[in-house]
Amino acid sequence: MNKLLNLTRGNRSLYITAILSVAAATFIAMLEPMVIKVTIDSVIGNKPMDVPLAMQKLVLLLGGTKVLWANLWICALILITLTCMRGIFLFLSGNFSARASENIAKNMRVNLYDHIQNLPYGYHVKSESGDLIQRCTSDVDTVRKFFATQMVEIGRAFFIVIFAIIMMLSLNKTMTVIAMLVVPFIFIYSYVFFYKVKNTFEKSDAQEGVLTTVLQENLSGVRVVKAFGRQSFEIEKYEKENMKYRDLNFKLVKLLASYWSTSDVLCMTQIGLVLVSGIYFAVNGDISLGTLVVFNTYEGMLLWPVRQLGRILSDMGKMSVSLGRITNILETPVEQEYGKALKSEIKGNISFENVNFEYEKGNKILRDITFSVKKGETVAIVGPTGSGKSSLVHLLLRLYDYSGSIKVDGVELKDIERKHMRSNVGIVLQEPFLYSRTIKENIKMAKLHSGDIEIHNAATVAAVHNVITSFEKGYDTIVGEKGVTLSGGQRQRVAIARTLLKDMPILIFDDSLSAVDTQTDRIIRKQLKHRSKDNTTFIISHRISTVMDADKIIVLNHGIIEEIGDHETLINKDGIYKRIWDIQTSLDVLDDDEQV
């Protein structure tokens, strides 16, 4: 309940107005049968009026029953007026509740998006994007629909029950008891139904997330699927998950069918009891014909919202599941600033002292890492796959916490504000992400107000300017989603240009030259060395030719620094670096011989 109240914050006045409007509409609906009763019993018939005093005064104000008998159109006009007024209040109720629910949905989407942006990097690594998308779309929509319709329906059902009981008691207590005999059983059955639907929908909603993930992965990896001829396998995998989703929805349909059929029997039984009892009392003269009509009308009005209680509770079950999945994200702690959150000047002097890091407790990725880098130096990191190269540079971005000490210009990294540190570190990944926009817009993302000259200079350093200008639309060429219309090397170079556009004191190239040929690699490194004299640069690569000009080369193996030094020093030692150098040199010789 607290969660529901929190969601309505800022929109409660709209909901109060909507509920007051539905209360007015319900009260007017209750007056209509009374008008019919007066018309039948007292205007057409000769019985004294046994209706509320206010209605009796209204009849006298209109001239009494004899005047109304002579002008029956007045009774019809009153009914039409009441119906129009009820319609106006129902419109107002729907309008205000719709506005409130749309505001709630908008706020939820904004809060979710903002919260997801600020969640730790480790959360995104473990999460499935398809499931997150489903929570931000269909789960939000489920909550929106509940607030748009069922919140008001709850108020409507409440007012109908209260007003109907009051009106019926004023007419005949015995008939009122008979009219309410089956209602408690419908309430109990609806409550049991609510729990069954909630559990089933929870499984169905989770399965929809799985289905969305499978679809998202397939669309993202469509080139791999086609390249390996995996269409049949992927279709079979999707069909398997789709069948599970269908079966769970069938179960929901069966539950709904059983509820509506059972509630129909109960409601028809209740209506039958009122009709038979009413006829019996009317024949014996205990109640008037108008009273019988009123009770039958009220019974129909009463049973419909009570019967709707099952749908309301069903939607409430769905909403509570969706709200729980949304809350699960919102309650996940965002990145915290545990240190002093300093915004010190970043120049590029970095030192690691006995740094240890682990993704999971007991499984260290980096062990006792110690080295230092001076401003303007180029540091290369090489080593076997899984040796911790990327993990090491990711620590500089404060994507993960560590033990030991990392100092940047003499300040402990943990004491530097995360956002400030990241704004001073430029990183290019092996698989860079490009948006489905123009090449210019993708490059400008690093510095939104940069001019064409700055963009062209950055692209020139990244050895991609000539490639871009060769396209028909040049820098206005739209790249496909994730840059799919560009080659791997072109994507990497556009990403390098984007990083270089904003001159940052620390640059990281995480195997980001792997997709370019050795000649382009050499050109980019030469341009970088000329341009980045004051930038501290980290280069991760498996290619020795890429790292051999570095001021310092760190060789990692199983999370430990095996060797450290420059190229000349390391090739004269019998270690991992020399073995990699020998293998790649021999392969280059073989390639040259084959070309000859």
Side-chain angles (χ1 to χ4, degrees), residues 176-187:
T176 303
V177 173
I178 294 171
M180 297 297 293
L181 280 175
V182 182
V183 172
F185 295 101
I186 299 176
F187 271 109

Side-chain angles (χ1 to χ4, degrees), residues 21-42:
S21 298
V22 84
T26 304
F27 180 72
I28 292 169
M30 291 296 166
L31 293 178
E32 293 172 3
M34 286 295 189
V35 174
I36 296 172
K37 171 180 166 53
V38 170
T39 304
I40 294 173
D41 289 346
S42 304

Side-chain angles (χ1 to χ4, degrees), residues 89-335:
F89 280 114
L90 286 175
F91 167 78
L92 291 174
S93 173
N95 178 270
F96 286 119
S97 63
R99 285 169 58 189
S101 64
E102 290 298 335
N103 287 339
I104 288 171
K106 178 187 75 74
N107 292 338
M108 288 179 70
R109 292 189 194 102
V110 170
N111 290 338
L112 274 169
Y113 193 79
D114 179 70
H115 195 81
I116 288 171
Q117 296 292 317
N118 292 290
L119 286 174
Y121 181 73
Y123 178 87
H124 291 285
V125 170
K126 296 177 182 177
S127 299
E128 294 179 342
S129 56
D131 184 59
L132 287 178
I133 290 169
Q134 197 250 344
R135 295 187 192 210
C136 295
T137 52
S138 62
D139 279 335
V140 169
D141 200 49
T142 299
V143 176
R144 180 195 63 78
K145 287 178 180 176
F146 178 82
F147 277 95
T149 57
Q150 302 305 358
M151 281 287 282
V152 175
E153 282 299 311
I154 291 171
R156 180 169 173 265
F158 172 78
F159 288 120
I160 284 179
V161 171
I162 297 299
F163 290 153
I165 291 174
I166 292 172
M167 293 290 193
M168 289 190 294
L169 283 172
S170 69
L171 296 175
N172 190 286
K173 293 180 180 179
T174 304
M175 280 293 293
T176 303
V177 173
I178 294 171
M180 297 297 293
L181 280 175
V182 182
V183 172
F185 295 101
I186 299 176
F187 271 109
I188 294 169
Y189 184 62
S190 299
Y191 197 68
V192 173
F193 172 72
F194 162 70
Y195 277 102
K196 287 185 177 180
V197 166
K198 182 180 177 182
N199 293 333
T200 305
F201 183 76
E202 191 168 2
K203 295 175 184 176
S204 173
D205 207 28
Q207 183 60 29
E208 185 183 356
V210 173
L211 198 64
T212 306
T213 299
V214 172
L215 180 62
Q216 186 266 336
E217 287 178 346
N218 186 270
L219 293 175
S220 298
V222 65
R223 289 194 299 173
V224 176
V225 172
K226 288 188 174 294
F228 289 93
R230 300 270 291 181
Q231 290 93 331
S232 298
F233 174 81
E234 291 297 328
I235 291 170
E236 184 179 341
K237 182 171 75 172
Y238 184 79
E239 187 175 345
K240 182 180 177 181
E241 300 300 336
N242 197 21
M243 291 278 282
K244 290 180 183 177
Y245 183 56
R246 184 205 65 177
D247 292 342
L248 287 168
N249 279 328
F250 273 170
K251 190 174 180 180
L252 279 172
V253 171
K254 288 177 182 177
L255 284 170
L256 284 168
S258 66
Y259 174 78
W260 288 118
S261 58
T262 306
S263 61
D264 273 345
V265 172
L266 291 172
C267 290
M268 291 302 107
T269 302
Q270 180 67 78
I271 291 171
L273 282 172
V274 171
L275 189 59
V276 171
S277 302
I279 292 172
Y280 175 78
F281 288 131
V283 169
N284 290 335
D286 296 325
I287 62 172
S288 66
L289 181 61
T291 301
L292 174 60
V293 172
V294 169
F295 266 92
N296 277 321
T297 305
Y298 281 165
E299 192 63 39
M301 294 172 66
L302 176 66
L303 288 177
W304 174 247
V306 172
R307 185 170 177 261
Q308 277 288 94
L309 185 64
R311 182 180 293 278
I312 293 171
L313 291 175
S314 169
D315 288 348
M316 183 181 288
K318 295 177 182 179
M319 184 276 300
S320 64
V321 170
S322 294
L323 186 59
R325 286 163 55 81
I326 292 168
T327 305
N328 180 259
I329 295 176
L330 294 176
E331 289 181 349
T332 302
V334 296
E335 281 188 322

